[in-house]
Amino acid sequence: MKRKAKRSMGTTIKLTFAIIIIIMSIIFLYSNIVKSRVVQEYDASMKINILLSDLSIEYNNMWELFNTYIKNNSEETYHRYIETNMKINNIINIVTPHIKEDKDSSIYLRNLNSMYAWFKEEMDLVITREELNLETYEQIMNIRTMNYYISQHSSNLMSSYLQHTNSNYLKVLDSYKILESNLYLLLAITILVSIFIIIISTDNILRTVKRLSVSVRQLSDANWDIPDLEVESYNELDYFAETFNHMKNSIKTYIEELNKASEMEMNYQKEKIKNIEKDKIIRETQLKALKMQINPHFLFNNLNTVSRMAMFENADKTVELIDAVAKILRFNLSQKNDFILLKDELEIVKAFILIQRIKFEDTIQFNYTIDEELYDLYIPPMIIQLLVENAIKHGVSGIKKQGWIKINVSRKNAYCVISVEDNGFGISKDEIDRIINRKEMDKSNYSTGLGIYNIILRLQIYFNREDLLTIESEKNVGTKVEILIPIEESERIAKSINS
C-alpha cells in the first residue's frame, strides 16, 4: 500500500511566527526611533535649562567679583570679572534662538539683557574711578539693587522656559503614546489573525494526538506489548514514538533536577555571604561620607560671619571672632579620629557659641550644665555642635522674645545624657516623626532633618541602635533633643576605631 504524502506542520507554524516576528520587529524599531526623537528633544530642552541655571550663577558671580575688586583692586579678580562677562554673553548667544520659541520667555530674556547692559555699564564706570566717594557708594548700592532684580528676573526666565519645555514635551509625549497605542493595536490584530490560522492548521494535529493518547494510556497501565505507533498525518508526529523510548531516562532527569536545585542553594548561600560583606563596606563608607557632610557647610557659614564682622564691628570683637573660627578650623583640619573627648567637643561648641553671641548680640542666652567627671569620655565628634546650630537656626533665630539655649551633660546609670534645649519655634509631631524615621521631609525643614539625621545615622553605625536620640517639642514653646551615649561601649569602640 502506497503511503500518503505527509505534510509538515513545522512549515505552517514557522511561517506564522515569522510574520508575527517581522511585524513586531517593525513596530519595535519604529517605536524606538520615535522614542529616541522624544528623548533627544527632551535632552535639548534640559541643556538649555541647565545653561539658564548657569547664567543665573554667572550673574551672581559677576556681582561678587565686582564687589571683591572694588575692595582689593586685584588684577586677578579683574581678569575673572572679564571672563565671567564673556561667559554670560556666550550663554546668552547660545540660548537666545531657543528662548525665542516662547513668547513669555523672550520677554524675560529681553528685559534681562537690558538690565544686564545697565548693570555692566555701571560696574565699568565704578571700576574706572580712581577713588571711592559718597556718590560712588550710592552708585554701588544701585548696582547691588539691580543685581537683586537680575537674580529675580533670571529665576523667572528659568521658570518660564521650563514651563514652556514641559508643555512641549507633554504634547510630544501624548503624540507618542497615541502612536504607540496604534502600533500595539496593529500588533494585537496580527496576533489574533495568526492565532486563527494556527487553530485551523492544528485541528488535524489534535485529532492525530488524540489517537496517540490512547496508546499512551495503555503504556501508563504497564502494557508494553502494544504495537509500534504509526502516524500518517504529519512528519513531525513520527517523533512522538521516540518519547516512549526515553521514559527510562525520567529517573536520570529527576536526579539532574535535584543536583540543579542543590547548586542553586549553594549559589544562594555564597551570594548571601557576599551581601553581608558588601553591607559592612557600605556601612563604613556611609560613616565616612556622613563625617564629610558636616565641615564644608559649617565653615562656609562662619567665614561669612567673619567677613561681615570685619566690615561693621570694632577690632576687638573681630579678633575674638577670628580666634574662635581659627580654633574650629584647626580642629577640623587636625581631627583624624572617629571619636573625640567630650571636653574637646565642648571647647569647639564654646568657640561656635562665641561666634553666635557676636552674630546675634544679646538676643540669645546660652547656659551650660556639665558634669566634669565626663570630660574624658569619648563621643562621636560635632554631635553637640550640630544640635546647637539647629537650635539657633531653626529654633530661637527670629523669635520676638528673649531666646535661650541650655546645654546639659550628665550621667544616668550606664549612659552619658547630652541634651540641647531651646525656647524657639518648636517642631510639629509629624515633622519629628519624619526626622526620627528618616522619611521624606518638607523642604522648609530639610536642613533641620539633615543635621539630626546625620547624628542618628552615625549613632546607629557606631552602636547599632536606633533609640539613642529623642526629640521633645511643642509649637511656639521650644524643643529638647536628647542623646544617650553608652559609656562603656563608647570607650571600647573609641579605642578600637582610633587605634
Side-chain angles (χ1 to χ4, degrees):
M1 183 177 178
K2 188 176 181 180
R3 296 176 61 92
K4 295 181 181 179
K6 296 181 181 180
R7 295 170 291 172
S8 174
M9 66 178 180
T11 302
T12 303
I13 296 174
K14 288 177 182 178
L15 181 61
T16 302
F17 277 101
I19 294 173
I20 295 176
I21 292 172
I22 291 172
I23 293 177
M24 288 181 63
S25 299
I26 293 173
I27 291 174
F28 177 75
L29 290 174
Y30 186 69
S31 177
N32 276 351
I33 291 172
V34 175
K35 187 184 293 184
S36 177
R37 290 177 182 173
V38 173
V39 172
Q40 288 175 0
E41 290 183 13
Y42 179 78
D43 288 345
S45 300
M46 287 302 100
K47 287 179 182 178
I48 297 302
N49 282 310
I50 291 172
L51 285 174
L52 290 177
S53 177
D54 293 341
L55 181 62
S56 178
I57 294 172
E58 294 301 334
Y59 280 141
N60 187 60
N61 289 343
M62 193 74 173
W63 160 253
E64 295 293 338
L65 291 170
F66 164 76
N67 193 32
T68 303
Y69 180 75
I70 61 175
K71 290 179 182 179
N72 56 25
N73 289 328
S74 170
E75 192 69 24
E76 180 184 354
T77 303
Y78 182 73
H79 285 311
R80 290 175 61 196
Y81 169 83
I82 298 299
E83 290 175 359
T84 302
N85 178 60
M86 293 174 65
K87 289 180 181 178
I88 291 173
N89 291 332
N90 185 44
I91 293 174
I92 290 175
N93 289 336
I94 293 173
V95 303
T96 297
H98 300 275
I99 296 298
K100 286 183 178 179
E101 296 174 0
D102 179 46
K103 182 179 178 181
D104 293 337
S105 300
S106 297
I107 294 173
Y108 282 121
L109 181 61
R110 186 165 57 250
N111 293 340
L112 194 60
N113 288 338
S114 299
M115 286 189 290
Y116 179 68
W118 183 92
F119 182 68
K120 178 66 169 56
E121 182 180 353
E122 291 297 309
M123 287 192 294
D124 289 342
L125 287 175
V126 172
I127 289 174
T128 55
R129 292 190 177 181
E130 295 181 354
E131 60 180 16
L132 302 179
N133 51 37
L134 182 59
E135 180 183 354
T136 306
Y137 178 76
E138 292 178 355
Q139 194 172 7
I140 292 172
M141 295 305 293
N142 290 335
I143 293 173
R144 182 179 182 180
T145 302
M146 180 57 74
N147 178 65
Y148 171 77
Y149 290 138
I150 288 175
S151 178
Q152 294 296 316
H153 225 65
S154 178
S155 297
N156 292 337
L157 173 59
M158 284 190 291
S159 298
S160 176
Y161 187 73
L162 182 60
Q163 184 177 2
H164 166 70
T165 54
N166 285 343
S167 177
N168 287 346
Y169 177 71
L170 290 175
K171 290 178 182 178
V172 174
L173 196 60
D174 288 340
S175 299
Y176 171 73
K177 287 180 179 178
I178 293 173
L179 174 63
E180 191 174 40
S181 298
N182 293 334
L183 291 174
Y184 284 136
L185 178 61
L186 175 61
L187 178 60
I189 293 173
T190 303
I191 292 174
L192 289 175
V193 172
S194 301
I195 290 173
F196 179 73
I197 295 173
I198 291 174
I199 290 174
I200 294 176
S201 302
T202 56
D203 184 57
N204 290 330
I205 301 174
L206 292 175
R207 287 196 296 268
T208 304
V209 170
K210 187 175 181 180
R211 292 196 298 269
L212 288 173
S213 65
V214 175
S215 298
V216 171
R217 205 175 296 118
Q218 291 175 347
L219 283 178
S220 66
D221 294 333
N223 185 5
W224 308 108
D225 297 327
I226 60 173
D228 292 339
L229 294 176
E230 192 172 321
V231 181
E232 299 180 356
S233 298
Y234 292 96
N235 270 329
E236 291 82 357
L237 293 178
D238 283 335
Y239 294 105
F240 272 56
E242 297 179 6
T243 304
F244 298 100
N245 299 324
H246 293 292
M247 292 183 64
K248 60 182 178 181
N249 295 323
S250 59
I251 297 177
K252 180 181 178 181
T253 302
Y254 177 71
I255 294 174
E256 289 177 351
E257 290 177 353
L258 287 178
N259 290 335
K260 288 181 180 179
S262 175
E263 185 179 355
M264 290 177 62
E265 178 66 21
M266 290 179 61
N267 291 335
Y268 170 77
Q269 294 298 331
K270 290 180 181 178
E271 189 66 25
K272 190 174 181 180
I273 294 173
K274 289 182 181 178
N275 288 336
I276 293 173
E277 295 174 351
K278 186 187 299 183
D279 182 67
K280 180 179 178 182
I281 295 173
I282 290 173
R283 287 161 63 91
E284 294 175 354
T285 306
Q286 283 180 330
L287 178 58
K288 294 179 181 178
L290 286 167
K291 292 177 66 179
M292 293 178 66
Q293 285 180 357
I294 301 172
N295 296 340
H297 173 72
F298 173 75
L299 297 179
F300 177 80
N301 289 338
N302 286 287
L303 287 176
N304 278 342
T305 305
V306 173
S307 175
R308 291 197 298 273
M309 291 301 302
M311 295 177 61
F312 300 110
E313 290 292 337
N314 294 326
D316 293 340
K317 287 186 176 181
T318 303
V319 169
E320 291 180 350
L321 188 62
I322 292 174
D323 287 344
V325 174
K327 180 181 291 185
I328 296 171
L329 284 171
R330 283 194 298 271
F331 171 81
N332 280 277
L333 293 174
S334 61
Q335 173 61 26
K336 296 181 180 179
N337 294 327
D338 293 301
F339 275 60
I340 63 170
L341 293 175
L342 174 65
K343 61 182 178 182
D344 295 334
E345 171 80 358
L346 291 173
E347 285 297 318
I348 299 305
V349 172
K350 290 177 181 179
F352 173 77
I353 289 176
L354 174 61
I355 297 171
Q356 304 308 314
R357 284 185 187 276
I358 297 174
K359 179 179 179 181
F360 293 97
E361 299 181 348
D362 295 326
T363 59
I364 303 176
Q365 294 181 354
F366 296 87
N367 299 315
Y368 302 89
T369 305
I370 310 297
D371 185 351
E372 296 182 358
E373 293 183 358
L374 298 172
Y375 273 170
D376 293 329
L377 173 67
Y378 281 95
I379 64 172
M382 298 190 77
I383 58 174
I384 303 179
Q385 185 272 317
L386 270 176
L387 294 182
V388 174
E389 184 178 5
N390 268 336
I392 295 172
K393 185 175 181 181
H394 303 286
V396 298
S397 177
I399 63 173
K400 296 182 179 180
K401 58 185 177 182
Q402 173 67 49
W404 53 258
I405 295 176
K406 297 178 181 179
I407 303 169
N408 183 282
V409 180
S410 61
R411 178 165 185 160
K412 184 177 180 181
N413 298 328
Y415 295 90
C416 169
V417 182
I418 300 172
S419 67
V420 176
E421 183 178 4
D422 65 71
N423 65 335
F425 293 108
I427 309 174
S428 68
K429 292 182 179 180
D430 290 340
E431 200 58 34
I432 292 175
D433 181 66
R434 291 190 186 95
I435 294 171
I436 294 297
N437 296 299
R438 286 165 270 171
K439 299 178 181 176
E440 183 177 356
M441 293 170 282
D442 294 336
K443 292 183 179 179
S444 59
N445 291 322
Y446 177 73
S447 58
T448 309
L450 179 62
I452 297 178
Y453 167 70
N454 185 296
I455 298 173
I456 292 173
L457 195 52
R458 282 199 287 158
L459 292 174
Q460 181 183 358
I461 291 173
Y462 285 131
F463 303 106
N464 197 26
R465 290 176 59 179
E466 298 182 353
D467 60 344
L468 298 180
L469 186 144
T470 57
I471 303 175
E472 299 176 2
S473 184
E474 185 176 351
K475 276 291 187 180
N476 299 319
V477 174
T479 301
K480 180 179 179 180
V481 182
E482 186 174 275
I483 297 174
L484 299 179
I485 301 295
I487 295 176
E488 293 184 2
E489 190 173 356
S490 178
E491 294 290 336
R492 178 178 57 78
I493 295 174
K495 290 179 180 179
S496 173
I497 294 178
N498 291 347
S499 61

